[in-house]
Amino acid sequence: QVQLVESGGGLVHPGGSLRLSCVSSGSFNVMGWYRQAPGKQRELVALITSGGSTSYDNSVKGRFTISRDNAKNTVYLQMNSLKPDDTAVYYCYARGGSYNTWGQGTQVTVSS
């Protein structure tokens, strides 16, 4: 069974930065990040294909950057200019064909 393991979450002040990492035990065409804040539905943050094409939610454009290292089956999310509204559990996501899977989530808290 394929596993996704996230790391890099934590507590940061508004305006600060964090970098999330997700290592997969398998290779996938599409990898990315979703997030879920308390009382809200899980929402897309960013996706990246194995060819490097990216897409972002409008709320994070210009602040977050998604990248991946295909040789390491790893996807990253560089988060800059963090806001309290970015507080959520961030989930790694991977999809290949009709198969998709999720990581266990990592908490990101933006607070002064």
Side-chain angles (χ1 to χ4, degrees), residues 37-72:
K40 295 186 177 181
Q41 290 188 331
R42 191 173 297 189
E43 63 179 12
L44 172 68
V45 177
L47 294 174
I48 185 168
T49 69
S50 56
S53 297
T54 60
S55 60
Y56 296 91
D57 183 77
N58 285 336
S59 66
V60 305
K61 280 182 180 178
R63 300 188 298 122
F64 292 10
T65 302
I66 190 170
S67 61
R68 65 188 287 173
D69 185 332
N70 292 330
K72 296 181 179 180

Side-chain angles (χ1 to χ4, degrees), residues 71-93:
K72 296 181 179 180
N73 290 333
T74 301
V75 63
Y76 306 97
L77 186 68
Q78 178 66 44
M79 305 185 293
N80 299 329
S81 302
L82 282 160
K83 306 174 182 180
D85 284 350
D86 295 318
T87 295
V89 177
Y90 284 69
Y91 295 91
C92 183
Y93 168 79

Side-chain angles (χ1 to χ4, degrees), residues 7 13 19 25 28 30 33 40 51 64 70-71 73 77 93 105:
S7 61
H13 293 309
R19 188 192 195 208
S25 60
F28 293 91
V30 177
W33 297 90
K40 295 186 177 181
F64 292 10
N70 292 330
N73 290 333
L77 186 68
Y93 168 79

